[in-house]
Amino acid sequence: MTKSLEGKTALVTGAAQGMGLAFAEALAEAGAHVALTDVLAEEVGVQAARLAARGLSVQSHALDVTNKAAWAEVMDALAAAGRSVDVLVNNAGIAVPGSIEECSVDTWRRTMDINALGPLLGCQAVIPGMKTKGGGSIINISSIFGLVGEPRVVAYCASKGAVTQLTRSAAVQLAPYGIRVNSVHPGFVATPMVLGAMKRAPAAIAQEYEARTVGQTPIGRMAEPEDVAGAVVFLASDASRYMTAGQMVIDGGFIAR
C-alpha cells in the first residue's frame, strides 16, 4: 500500500475489533499515525500493541463516544503528544434487534446516543483543530440502512439515517474551511458483532438471515471488514480531495436489487 497518509494523524472510534480495527490498521499501513479508541479499553490497548509491534505508528485511548468530556480528554492527550486530528473515522456503533412495535425506549435512546450523538461529539471535538490546520477529512460510518429500510432494527435504521443527514449538513457548513465530510454505507459485514448475533440466534432465524443477506447479495458473500477499509483510506487521502457530502455504498450490490 502506498503511503498516501504520511504525516497525518487519524482517530478511529470503535477500533477494538471488526471494521474499526480494520480501518485503523489500513490507515496506519497507509502512513498515518492512528489513535485507536474504544470503550473496551483493555481490548483496544492489546490491538494497538499488536500494530505497534509491526512497526506501525499508533496509540490507544479509552473513549465512550457519548461522553463529551471523554472526547476532550483524548484531544488533550493528542495535543500533549504534539498531534491534532487530520482524519476522524466515526465508526463506533451498535445494532439491537427490534421493530417499530417492539423497540423499547431504552434501546432507542442507547442506540441514538452511540450511533448518532457519538459522531456529533466526534465532529465537534476535531473541527477546531481542523479549522486551524486549514482542512481535514471526517468519515462517518453509516450503513445501507441509513439509505433503505429494514423492519427488524428500527432504532439502528433511524440512527444511521441521522448519520447520513448529519454528514450532509456538516459537509455544507465545513467545506469553506477545507474540511470534507463523507459517509460510508456498508452492507452486511462479517464482524464479531454480526457473527456473534448469528451464533446466539435460533438456528432457523440464523439460516433465514444468511439466506437474505448472502442470497440477495449479487457478489454472493458477506463482506470482510477489510473490504470496506479501502474506501476509508481513499476518503482520508488527497485522492478524494474534491469529494464531500458523498455516500460510498459498499454492499456487494445488495441495495441494487
Side-chain angles (χ1 to χ4, degrees), residues 84-169:
S84 64
V85 176
D86 300 285
V87 178
L88 170 66
V89 184
N90 280 313
N91 166 76
I94 62 169
V96 180
S99 70
I100 188 68
E101 295 175 286
E102 301 162 343
C103 182
S104 70
V105 171
D106 286 346
T107 291
W108 181 271
R109 286 177 174 162
R110 181 166 177 257
T111 302
M112 288 296 178
D113 278 353
I114 295 171
N115 294 6
L117 176 62
L120 171 68
L121 295 180
C123 291
Q124 290 177 342
V126 303
I127 286 169
M130 288 183 176
K131 282 185 174 181
T132 298
K133 285 188 169 186
S137 176
I138 296 172
I139 304 162
N140 294 322
I141 307 304
S142 181
S143 166
I144 55 171
F145 295 136
L147 301 172
V148 300
E150 166 54 52
R152 302 173 196 205
V153 282
V154 66
Y156 181 78
C157 287
S159 69
K160 292 303 185 177
V163 171
T164 301
Q165 287 299 92
L166 179 152
T167 300
R168 287 171 165 166
S169 178

